[in-house]
Amino acid sequence: MHEKEFLLTLTVLLHISAYGVVNAGSPTGVYMDNGVQTVKQDFMSVEERNEVEQEILTMFGVPKIPRKSPKNLDGSAPQFLFDVYRSIQLDGSHDRKGRSVTDVGQYDDRTVQDSDVIVTLYLSNHSPVSNVRHEHGKRILFELNDVPPEETHMITSAEVHLYQSGSSSNVKMYSVSLYQVLISKNGEKELEFVDTQNTTTDYDGWLRFNATGTLVSWTHYLYPNRGFYVSVHSHDNREHEIKPEEIGMVTWADKHQLSEAKKPFMAVYLKSRNGGNIVGGPSLQKHYRRRRRKTVESSYNSNPFQNVAEGFQSRSCQIQTLYVNFRDLEWQDWIIAPDGYGAFYCTGECNFPLNAHMNATNHAIVQTLVHLMSPIQVPKPCCAPTKMGQQAVLFFLEDNNVILKKYKNMIVKSCGCH
């Protein structure tokens, strides 16, 4: 079941209230047009609400609500992804200020646009502090548990973000290099070059390293994840390695010494292998069939729409309000943004003549003419979405890791006769 079917199914569940147990004390978090104004719908039973909530969770790719724990919105990863989220929301608008360069780091617009999922990873709690070959660099290790499996998503890009707290005194040029830590056959640690960035001692901000190949080797080719090695060299003496902290590089998350806003993190950009389409779970499909069967058995006069507003059903094809409020669902503890989203839906008649505002296709026009001649054999065209939009959702996973997902075809932009 794809997004359009999901929206239709959710709409049917919300419309057919005559067969559910009314429980106003159990808010649905859903707002709809009642023919006069947009109002909150509180007519679903607790069982129905739980079913809809579970299906939305399944659609989000979250098997269960993450356990409630203190969430740090001031951390480097949440702030980075929140800025990316804002850029996605601004996409297509005239206000393009603040894109690509932020207080939390840098990102490439093209990479963001081409990805369906962005996952951020903090340093492992067991990140090693020991050096490699007794040199002056630092090892850092990221947990990969929250990276989706290769079968469902392919990695398009991966970046390591390290913060440098610079000093304006005695400005010099340095190179900060990132290496993948390998283990040779004889058990000795070896380094494989990943990426390098030039910086100065007075630079205060984030450095970004391309680590796509390394992450692919860990997740796809199942190389052991032994972390990265951060090495710093002066341009004046490239043979001599210095400690990263000497130029203000933050490479280890010491909770007693390090601000959450400067923690190193890894950003992983992924592309869905199914094109971002979402398959609805079996419980909602079963519930939809049960509800539809009851609808067919009911009389036309018992349709709850008839009690909403006079002539509501006879309106021509148009877009209507359908808003899902995550705060009403009490999901604000793990969904960072948005507070909710407008899904909208299409309803109304496609009667002759099909006016310009109905966005009718040529096929719909012909079908309408044939329907006038043979109304029993050929039905009227249907009112359906003609343009759909995506919705980005930013939320916490376990262990305070953050993920940004873009769900395609989640919002009805316009309706027409098909």
Side-chain angles (χ1 to χ4, degrees), residues 22-39:
V22 177
N23 187 348
S26 178
T28 62
V30 175
Y31 294 76
M32 291 179 53
D33 288 339
N34 66 357
V36 179
Q37 61 184 349
T38 301
V39 295

Side-chain angles (χ1 to χ4, degrees), residues 47-63:
E47 177 186 2
E48 291 168 339
R49 168 190 161 145
N50 291 340
E51 287 185 2
V52 172
E53 286 186 8
Q54 187 56 52
E55 288 299 329
I56 297 178
L57 289 175
T58 301
M59 179 184 67
F60 284 169
V62 180

Side-chain angles (χ1 to χ4, degrees), residues 1 37 44 103 109 116 122 244 268 276 280 327 339-340 352 390:
M1 185 168 65
Q37 61 184 349
M44 284 195 291
D103 293 336
D109 274 344
D116 296 319
Y122 273 136
V268 182
R327 286 193 170 272
D339 290 335
F352 180 84
Q390 71 175 12

